[in-house]
Amino acid sequence: MKELHVRSLSGELVRLSSETLEELNSSLRGDVIGLDDARYEDTRQIWNAMIDRKPALIVRCTGTADVMQAVSFARQLNLLVSVRGAGHNIAGKSLCDEAMLIDLSSINYVHVDPDRRRAVAGPGATLGDLDHEAQRFGLAVPVGINSTTGVGGLTLGGGFGWLSRSLGLSVDNLVSAEVVTAQGERLRCDAQNHSDLFWAIRGGGGNFGIVTSFEFKAHPVGPMVMAGPAVFPFDQARSLLQAYREFCASSPEQLTTWAVIRDAPPLPFLEPQYHGQPAVIIVALYNGPMEEGEQAIAPIRELGQLIADGFAPHPYVGFQQAFDPLLTLGSRNYWKSHNFAALSDGLIDTLVEYGGRLPSPQSEIFVAQLGGAINRVASDATAYPHRDVEYVMNVHTRWDEHADDRECIGWAREFFDATKAYATGGVYVNFISEDEERVDGAYGPNYAKLTQVKSTYDPDNFFRINQNIMPG
């Protein structure tokens, strides 16, 4: 292994000899991948193709012992470190030029205890891994909507999806975690042990340590659920979104709906003449008996003049993967996001205006319905503070060619500014793009306490390549 240079916490380059690298490699069950390694390019790839950063070396860990060793090694030499789970973060915070990357993607186990209704996942596990194992026993953990997302990054930011209105956020279902601290020590935290750390990792991101094990409550779900999309023509968008707002106001907590503005994808139940045409798609899932789900979803069909009805019984695991083809690896992605307490007429008018001129065929605007069980938790019970939010909007701009960067990013920023007056000022931390400084908006009144916890567990800000919370 050739010698290399790694950026230090203070900014200068530190020379690592080939002997030092071999010693590190021999101390791991995983391995060390340098710039000259044939595996380097594939290993450093992450979901968002806009992020093209090159760490100086990659330490691929296979378990907690490897993580402890990697952190201790970096601390001893004062190296700048980034951490990657599944590599799905929009801002690409898992990569940093000339830093040491601690790669957790190989720690991808899931263990389910059906008697205790508990699921334990490693930081490299994806939502698809967790869904697959839990559904074998008729169970599920509330997570996100794209099966290739990592359990670790999603959970550390809060975690919401189709089950959250009825069962809470991912962090509301986290019962314990194993954390490797900035000192290279392993801690188990829960409500009784290191409760301040347990509070902070439930929404505070990767600021406080590397979580090597997540233990969740699991709930009976499925295996079949009433779910699907209903597709409406875009020319009905204004009246449809107004009707959608009224529908959401009285919908049961077991039902979660999202409104999506995009060019219609080639859905199997959608006639080819509508493929690629502007549309409003209402997607829904009911977490409960099939007959109740059919009754709860039925009014959605009456919100406008349908051009396609995909509501039907679906396997829960399958529905969790339904949107994966729209979010594949390798495209350029840029997001802007707001939280809303309500969908005002002014906001709806702006959604329609910008939805009528999406900058690329893959771009979309989605408005996710929250509330329910999420909002029954106190805003200071976990680091995630947004317990008064009813809707989250994500402006998901997506394209393939570098030449389109300016147009797509410019449209997203302009749309974000146009909707700012209707927003709460808060933001879901997992939706912050790389060029934004919105940590205060992510944590609001909980930020001061988070800085105190940071001071306790990471006073030197060793874990800083993230949506960073500074030590108090």
Side-chain angles (χ1 to χ4, degrees):
M1 189 175 301
K2 293 182 180 179
E3 72 171 45
L4 48 81
H5 293 81
V6 185
R7 188 69 58 184
S8 74
L9 290 171
S10 53
E12 71 273 9
L13 289 174
V14 177
R15 173 183 171 272
L16 300 185
S17 68
S18 58
E19 292 80 11
T20 299
L21 293 168
E22 289 295 348
E23 288 176 8
L24 173 61
N25 194 52
S26 64
S27 69
L28 303 169
R29 193 156 60 94
D31 51 7
V32 176
I33 298 174
L35 291 164
D36 61 337
D37 194 303
R39 300 168 294 173
Y40 177 84
E41 284 299 323
D42 286 342
T43 306
R44 78 176 180 94
Q45 296 302 316
I46 58 174
W47 174 74
N48 186 0
M50 278 195 70
I51 311 301
D52 185 27
R53 305 190 189 112
K54 294 187 176 182
L57 79 159
I58 301 169
V59 179
R60 190 158 57 180
C61 301
T62 59
T64 300
D66 280 0
V67 175
M68 295 171 68
Q69 179 65 22
V71 171
S72 297
F73 175 84
R75 281 309 296 251
Q76 182 180 1
L77 297 175
N78 201 37
L79 302 181
L80 184 64
V81 162
S82 67
V83 181
R84 179 178 67 185
H88 211 281
N89 178 255
I90 182 62
K93 292 293 186 179
S94 58
L95 295 184
C96 179
D97 287 329
E98 299 182 315
M100 171 177 149
L101 169 61
I102 299 178
D103 180 11
L104 313 174
S105 60
S106 295
I107 313 178
N108 59 356
Y109 64 86
V110 176
H111 302 304
V112 177
D113 183 338
D115 297 324
R116 296 176 57 242
R117 291 183 179 173
R118 291 289 187 266
V120 180
T126 66
L127 308 192
D129 297 329
L130 179 56
D131 291 337
H132 175 79
E133 293 294 328
Q135 276 290 280
R136 182 64 181 82
F137 304 100
L139 301 172
V141 175
V143 288
I145 69 161
N146 176 215
S147 76
T148 62
T149 302
V151 171
L154 177 98
T155 301
L156 292 174
F160 69 86
W162 299 118
L163 302 179
S164 297
R165 279 175 46 80
S166 57
L167 299 175
L169 301 173
S170 302
V171 292
D172 299 332
N173 290 273
L174 188 67
V175 295
S176 73
E178 179 182 81
V179 183
V180 175
T181 69
Q183 290 72 40
E185 300 173 343
R186 172 197 172 275
L187 298 178
R188 176 183 170 84
C189 63
D190 54 29
Q192 288 76 42
N193 301 286
H194 302 286
S195 58
D196 55 344
L197 178 61
F198 186 55
W199 177 87
I201 65 170
R202 286 179 289 161
N207 276 281
F208 310 96
I210 299 176
V211 180
T212 53
S213 178
F214 298 84
E215 182 185 9
F216 298 98
K217 289 184 288 187
H219 305 266
V221 172
M224 301 295 290
V225 291
M226 178 59 67
V231 185
F232 301 84
F234 182 76
D235 60 13
Q236 298 179 31
R238 181 173 284 102
S239 61
L240 182 69
L241 290 173
Q242 290 172 338
Y244 170 72
R245 174 182 61 195
E246 301 308 313
F247 171 79
C248 288
S250 59
S251 63
E253 292 181 2
Q254 291 79 12
L255 180 66
T256 296
T257 55
W258 292 24
V260 183
I261 298 174
R262 63 164 297 132
D263 292 349
L267 300 167
F269 53 86
L270 183 63
E271 293 181 15
Q273 69 198 65
Y274 296 113
H275 294 178
Q277 296 300 306
V280 180
I281 305 171
I282 306 297
V283 191
L285 182 144
Y286 187 85
N287 179 26
M290 204 66 65
E291 303 78 16
E292 292 180 8
E294 172 58 39
Q295 293 176 4
I297 281 175
I300 297 175
R301 299 184 174 99
E302 308 303 320
L303 297 181
Q305 295 180 347
L306 272 172
I307 57 176
D309 179 359
F311 293 135
H314 292 275
Y316 174 74
V317 167
F319 196 71
Q320 281 285 88
Q321 300 170 6
F323 303 100
D324 290 0
L326 304 178
L327 295 166
T328 52
L329 181 77
S331 289
R332 304 176 74 80
N333 297 269
Y334 182 81
W335 295 356
K336 298 291 275 188
S337 182
H338 281 307
N339 291 342
F340 300 108
L343 299 181
S344 66
D345 284 342
L347 173 58
I348 288 174
D349 287 344
T350 310
L351 289 169
V352 174
E353 177 189 351
Y354 282 84
R357 48 187 179 94
L358 297 172
S360 70
Q362 300 180 68
S363 294
E364 65 183 12
I365 303 164
F366 78 68
V367 178
Q369 181 190 17
L370 299 186
I374 301 170
N375 288 9
R376 288 200 297 274
V377 178
S379 62
D380 61 354
T382 63
Y384 177 93
H386 309 295
R387 303 296 184 163
D388 58 348
V389 171
E390 295 295 331
Y391 301 95
V392 169
M393 178 187 75
N394 197 21
V395 184
H396 183 189
T397 321
R398 182 175 168 91
W399 65 102
D400 293 322
E401 301 299 329
H402 185 279
D404 296 327
D405 285 7
R406 183 173 181 178
E407 178 184 359
C408 291
I409 294 172
W411 174 87
R413 290 173 175 169
E414 183 182 312
F415 181 31
F416 172 82
D417 290 341
T419 51
K420 192 172 184 178
Y422 307 105
T424 66
V427 62
Y428 178 46
V429 71
N430 286 344
F431 286 171
I432 300 177
S433 283
E434 65 169 327
D435 61 345
E436 297 183 285
E437 297 292 337
R438 301 183 69 191
V439 174
D440 287 351
Y443 297 117
N446 289 343
Y447 185 76
K449 182 176 177 181
L450 285 164
T451 65
Q452 296 170 11
V453 181
K454 180 76 168 179
S455 295
T456 299
Y457 293 94
D458 187 12
D460 303 322
N461 202 19
F462 177 75
F463 296 112
R464 64 181 65 179
I465 310 300
N466 46 41
Q467 299 296 347
N468 195 231
I469 297 166
M470 294 291 291

